[in-house]
Amino acid sequence: TNRERSCMKYIQSREAEYAEKQNTKVPSQCDKTLCDNDIDGDGDGCEENSDNGLSENNSCPYTSFQGRIGGFKGMWVLDERLGDGIKLVCRDSQEKVKLPMKSFVSFSEDCKKRGIHCVQSDFDDLYDTVDVCSWDKQPKEGRLSLRTIQILEYRGVDIGFLKKCADDGTRWLSKLYEDPNALLEHVSKRHSAMVSRDIESTVDTFDDDLLFRMASVKMDKSEPVFAQKILKLVKREADSMRKKGKYPLRRCKQMRLIPDHTQLLEEGEAFIAVGYARGNVNTIKDIEKSDCALAMRSPAYFGGDLVKLKLVSRKTIRLRAASLTKTKETIPAASTCSIYDGPGDDPSTFFEDLNTGLVISSKGERSAADMMSGGDFDGDEAWICWDKHLCQLVKDYPAQDTTTPEFIVQKSQQEKALACRVSLKQRAEFALHYRYHQTQLGKLSTTLDSAMDRFGVDSPESIIIATQAFLQVDHPYKLCEIKQDHDHDLVEVYHESPHWLGKRINRGSYISEKALGVLYDYVQSKIDAVVTVCDDKDKTATRLNTHIMSIINAATQKSLHDSVMRRQLSELQNKMRLAIADFYSEHKKFKEAITDDGEDAVNMTMEWMKCQYRYWRKNLVDCEDGEDAKNLASAILYEETWRKSVESSFQGEHKMFAWHVARDRLLRIIGDAVQKSTGIGVAPTLLREHEKILYHRRGGYIS
């Protein structure tokens, strides 16, 4: 992206300065200081978020990242004020490996105290490197979740507010069907994610890719396959949103937790950094008007994991900083702001220069991060919402005390062992144990969902399960299981689950009257309404694509005066009909031979289909001479496939036969026609050379 390119240009332009500096890899002219963010434990939980790009310039586009610097690991935040030159301020917990970093030369005595004994020749420049794991980019949009809804309901939020969130979600889904631009934007994001992750080909990935390409060439929604794919996408997105409770929430973001090392924030206060130099003006104004926010980490376990924070505005930060600057000479530095501040520094600039993050006060006996289900500042993210109405609805509630004996587990020797000191067998055992640990976490989470629905959040039954789930996250070698003494109390949870988890009624499920159950049924009625409108044949008459059909119409007109063309057209039509019938017959036999519905059967079916499509591509399209002949064959295959689907039981995925065999040709016909009508030329999303490369790379099957 532009942002990555801008960052690389910035680094390359300072390459000479990097080489000159012996004790740093950050240029002195940049005059930025890295102030570490890690308090206890390894940095984790980072995920690269999408951003809107950045105009290429010579300035550093990021203010925080997660990564390693020599033997240190964790979160790092840039601060311009921390004295002259470049300083790297670390916490003891960040030192994971003791390395003879050359930057330690001037601290040789301190190194000996820390257990690093080496001579001058042992120091190496290669240890003084910055290994970036991920940049902190623009924050993700915050959404609700199953656990969030349960805790919000428990803390006093009424169903009316939650229904409005569901309405926003279903309104967006309706827009996908009605607005071509909204559809293209959405499928483009899905397509980019699919390509970046190199997801294995399945029916769903083919549908996503085909839908993206259809939307890119501005295909008419009346085209039958296009209309079917849009409807399938809408239903799939709606079902996913409902099952996970991912309803949109206004004035909500997902942000990294950052401690306030300036000491300007008081206990219980927070500052939302959205990049005042580059941020969205409307968002900044909206945040500045708010005086309260709700924050919660995921996963949450207890009712008190949702914390209320008092928001501090930029103006208040400036006033406090100005007051501290005036009294700095008479009051000890440690009681005013960070001990690393240089004389005359303005600590408020740290907040204004920070591009993204939720800065939380580091004062008090317990940090707000720890109150959020035991979070810390090593890279954890939090759900943050500054909606005034929601803040008013949420009742105050004490955070769960996790310092009691039942929440304390000593790490085993296996957990403490370094990877470099264990055998290959032990590493393999760790990997297998980690998979089992993840499975156990999923079971505990699902059980907790059911317990909260039946007994309530923070009920004795829910506390039992929540405690074990809380411990399982941080102690993978300790198998956290619910004691048999509690089986009698939880027998209903084990045997029945709420219907919003997706099980059928009367098959281990009951109808829940809690918020999640009401929302589940409410959104289902919305989905049914959208499907009804989409399926209304009076309003949504489908017809074959006019650009593809124009290829056949032109050939038909020519055949009126050309006997050779007439014979060729007739032969092509018969050939396509026989091929479609043959494929349908073979597919029916194959399905009858497959008796299993498991994953192996699905994979076997996919491979069989790919072989079939390669075979028919070679014999129906590629065998023709010239581009025009190949386009004509593809167009006739398209028409005959749809005709067969209308005349017989050749329905469902079978009517996709032409799209599987000749997708690239059909889309190229449409793209060229659309662009030709505007005088622009060939559609940039369907470059011929790119399609040819993809086609030959995948053995003749476009997937």
Side-chain angles (χ1 to χ4, degrees):
T1 64
N2 288 337
R3 189 176 287 270
E4 271 96 8
R5 287 197 298 272
S6 179
C7 190
M8 289 307 299
K9 282 189 66 178
Y10 170 79
I11 293 173
Q12 291 168 0
S13 67
R14 301 294 195 271
E15 185 176 2
E17 296 173 45
Y18 291 165
E20 292 173 3
K21 294 302 244 181
Q22 174 175 290
N23 63 339
T24 180
K25 288 297 174 184
V26 183
S28 59
Q29 287 185 10
C30 183
D31 194 28
K32 288 187 179 288
T33 303
L34 289 162
C35 176
D36 127 83
N37 229 0
D38 186 45
I39 288 184
D40 9 87
D42 295 357
D44 197 9
C46 71
E47 180 179 347
E48 294 200 8
N49 306 326
S50 59
D51 56 74
N52 298 324
L54 183 70
S55 57
E56 294 193 23
N57 53 50
N58 212 28
S59 63
C60 185
Y62 302 113
T63 55
S64 57
F65 69 91
Q66 184 182 38
R68 298 174 180 83
I69 300 181
F72 296 86
K73 178 184 176 183
M75 278 298 304
W76 312 87
V77 183
L78 289 167
D79 191 341
E80 295 182 351
R81 311 164 303 106
L82 307 187
D84 296 330
I86 303 303
K87 292 180 181 178
L88 184 62
V89 184
C90 310
R91 299 182 189 275
D92 290 338
S93 63
Q94 279 191 282
E95 188 180 30
K96 308 303 177 185
V97 182
K98 298 182 185 299
L99 295 176
M101 300 167 65
K102 196 160 187 176
S103 53
F104 282 173
V105 170
S106 57
F107 305 101
S108 56
E109 293 300 321
D110 293 333
C111 290
K112 290 179 182 179
K113 294 178 182 179
R114 300 171 67 85
I116 303 176
H117 301 279
C118 46
V119 295
Q120 178 75 18
S121 59
D122 292 331
F123 291 101
D124 196 326
D125 273 328
L126 292 177
Y127 292 124
D128 287 339
T129 56
V130 178
D131 179 13
V132 178
C133 176
S134 67
W135 303 101
D136 274 355
K137 304 180 183 178
Q138 296 299 320
K140 294 179 292 185
E141 292 297 324
R143 286 178 173 264
L144 296 173
S145 66
L146 297 179
R147 192 67 52 76
T148 306
I149 293 172
Q150 287 180 313
I151 292 177
L152 285 175
E153 180 186 26
Y154 179 69
R155 296 282 293 273
V157 178
D158 59 81
I159 191 64
F161 181 90
L162 297 173
K163 278 187 175 182
K164 289 180 180 178
C165 298
D167 287 338
D168 288 340
T170 52
R171 193 178 299 116
W172 168 75
L173 291 172
S174 299
K175 191 177 180 181
L176 279 184
Y177 188 82
E178 297 166 359
D179 186 354
N181 293 328
L183 174 67
L184 179 58
E185 181 182 358
H186 179 68
V187 296
S188 295
K189 291 179 181 178
R190 290 180 62 91
H191 185 267
S192 298
M194 181 180 69
V195 172
S196 63
R197 296 172 187 172
D198 195 22
I199 299 175
E200 186 179 352
S201 295
T202 63
V203 173
D204 286 342
T205 58
F206 179 86
D207 284 349
D208 284 349
D209 187 60
L210 178 61
L211 188 56
F212 163 69
R213 291 169 181 269
M214 285 177 161
S216 297
V217 297
K218 301 179 181 179
M219 183 177 284
D220 194 319
K221 195 171 61 178
S222 62
E223 202 284 329
V225 172
F226 188 40
Q228 180 197 46
K229 295 304 174 188
I230 296 175
L231 180 57
K232 184 177 179 181
L233 172 71
V234 171
K235 291 171 67 175
R236 188 171 61 187
E237 290 290 339
D239 197 48
S240 174
M241 179 179 68
R242 184 179 62 158
K243 285 182 177 179
K244 298 178 181 179
K246 294 181 67 174
Y247 305 113
L249 183 61
R250 300 177 185 182
R251 299 177 179 85
C252 185
K253 298 287 184 182
Q254 192 81 13
M255 287 184 163
R256 190 89 71 181
L257 295 175
I258 298 175
D260 171 32
H261 65 286
T262 69
Q263 302 288 292
L264 287 178
L265 297 177
E266 299 298 330
E267 184 177 0
E269 292 183 340
F271 177 85
I272 300 178
V274 288
Y276 286 92
R278 299 187 179 102
N280 183 289
V281 176
N282 294 330
T283 302
I284 292 173
K285 289 182 178 179
D286 197 34
I287 293 174
E288 290 286 316
K289 293 177 182 177
S290 303
D291 56 2
C292 178
L294 302 170
M296 183 169 67
R297 282 183 62 251
S298 179
Y301 309 100
F302 309 99
D305 287 346
L306 175 68
V307 300
K308 267 188 176 183
L309 298 170
K310 180 182 178 182
L311 287 185
V312 178
S313 67
R314 183 169 46 162
K315 181 179 178 181
T316 303
I317 290 289
R318 287 173 176 172
L319 290 174
R320 291 181 183 179
S323 176
L324 287 175
T325 304
K326 292 178 181 178
T327 58
K328 203 166 185 179
E329 295 182 359
T330 58
I331 300 178
S335 63
T336 57
C337 50
S338 172
I339 60 173
Y340 303 106
D341 291 345
D345 285 337
D346 180 4
S348 68
T349 59
F350 167 74
F351 295 87
E352 299 197 22
D353 292 341
L354 193 61
N355 282 345
T356 179
L358 176 64
V359 186
I360 297 178
S361 172
S362 54
K363 294 181 179 180
E365 295 182 0
R366 186 182 183 189
S367 72
D370 185 59
M371 295 179 188
M372 292 184 265
S373 58
D376 51 36
F377 299 108
D378 62 1
D380 286 355
E381 291 184 350
W383 172 95
I384 177 77
C385 178
W386 60 92
D387 184 278
K388 285 187 176 181
H389 182 46
L390 181 61
C391 290
Q392 291 171 354
L393 291 175
V394 174
K395 298 175 182 177
D396 293 335
Y397 194 81
Q400 180 70 31
D401 183 8
T402 55
T403 61
T404 53
E406 63 267 24
F407 287 99
I408 300 174
V409 177
Q410 296 296 327
K411 284 190 175 182
S412 65
Q413 292 301 317
Q414 290 172 301
E415 290 177 272
K416 294 179 180 179
L418 295 174
C420 60
R421 296 180 182 176
V422 298
S423 65
L424 186 60
K425 179 183 176 183
Q426 289 173 308
R427 296 186 193 186
E429 288 175 347
F430 173 80
L432 291 172
H433 188 92
Y434 181 76
R435 289 183 62 184
Y436 184 74
H437 156 69
Q438 293 295 98
T439 303
Q440 181 67 5
L441 268 179
K443 290 179 180 178
L444 287 171
S445 179
T446 304
T447 307
L448 181 58
D449 287 338
S450 297
M452 285 183 171
D453 187 89
R454 183 176 286 277
F455 301 110
V457 178
D458 281 1
S459 63
E461 295 83 359
S462 296
I463 291 291
I464 293 169
I465 304 169
T467 302
Q468 298 306 314
F470 175 86
L471 293 175
Q472 187 70 77
V473 171
D474 290 328
H475 302 284
Y477 273 97
K478 173 181 170 58
L479 181 60
C480 297
E481 296 179 307
I482 301 169
K483 296 180 181 179
Q484 293 182 353
D485 299 346
H486 303 300
D487 284 350
H488 177 73
D489 299 327
L490 302 174
V491 64
E492 293 175 315
V493 175
Y494 294 146
H495 289 87
E496 283 191 329
S497 59
H499 73 291
W500 49 262
L501 282 177
K503 291 185 178 180
R504 294 182 180 179
I505 305 300
N506 300 327
R507 292 191 180 182
S509 178
Y510 65 91
I511 298 177
S512 170
E513 296 181 356
K514 295 289 180 68
L516 282 173
V518 174
L519 289 176
Y520 189 87
D521 297 335
Y522 181 70
V523 174
Q524 181 59 52
S525 65
K526 297 280 187 178
I527 296 173
D528 293 341
V530 172
V531 172
T532 301
V533 172
C534 297
D535 286 342
D536 189 344
K537 294 187 174 8
D538 295 332
K539 295 182 180 179
T540 58
T542 58
R543 61 178 180 273
L544 297 180
N545 185 267
T546 55
H547 299 305
I548 298 176
M549 295 305 296
S550 67
I551 301 289
I552 301 175
N553 295 336
T556 303
Q557 288 295 322
K558 186 177 179 181
S559 69
L560 297 176
H561 310 287
D562 188 339
S563 59
V564 176
M565 175 57 74
R566 191 183 311 121
R567 184 174 65 253
Q568 181 185 358
L569 198 59
S570 177
E571 288 174 355
L572 276 174
Q573 290 170 337
N574 290 331
K575 182 180 180 180
M576 299 305 171
R577 289 169 190 159
L578 290 173
I580 294 167
D582 191 13
F583 169 77
Y584 178 56
S585 176
E586 290 297 319
H587 184 268
K588 188 176 181 180
K589 292 177 184 178
F590 179 80
K591 293 294 287 183
E592 290 173 351
I594 299 293
T595 56
D596 185 20
D597 294 331
E599 185 177 348
D600 291 339
V602 173
N603 293 334
M604 191 183 301
T605 302
M606 283 292 298
E607 289 302 316
W608 182 87
M609 297 281 274
K610 287 182 180 181
C611 291
Q612 284 285 310
Y613 295 140
R614 291 192 193 103
Y615 171 80
W616 291 116
R617 170 71 181 224
K618 180 179 178 181
N619 289 276
L620 297 179
V621 179
D622 292 345
C623 61
E624 299 294 327
D625 295 328
E627 292 292 308
D628 291 340
K630 288 181 172 64
N631 287 346
L632 178 60
S634 301
I636 292 175
L637 179 62
Y638 168 77
E639 182 187 33
E640 294 301 326
T641 299
W642 180 250
R643 183 173 293 163
K644 182 70 174 178
S645 70
V646 173
E647 294 174 353
S648 65
S649 59
F650 193 70
Q651 291 289 337
E653 287 302 315
H654 302 303
K655 66 182 179 183
M656 290 293 299
F657 182 68
W659 287 103
H660 279 285
V661 173
R663 179 191 67 178
D664 57 329
R665 291 270 167 193
L666 297 174
L667 288 169
R668 189 182 304 162
I669 291 169
I670 300 169
D672 286 355
V674 171
Q675 296 301 320
K676 192 178 295 183
S677 65
T678 61
I680 299 175
V682 178
T685 55
L686 294 167
L687 294 177
R688 286 189 171 88
E689 292 304 318
H690 182 61
E691 287 287 358
K692 287 180 181 177
I693 291 171
L694 286 176
Y695 176 69
H696 291 297
R697 183 185 298 165
R698 298 176 180 177
Y701 173 66
I702 306 294
S703 63

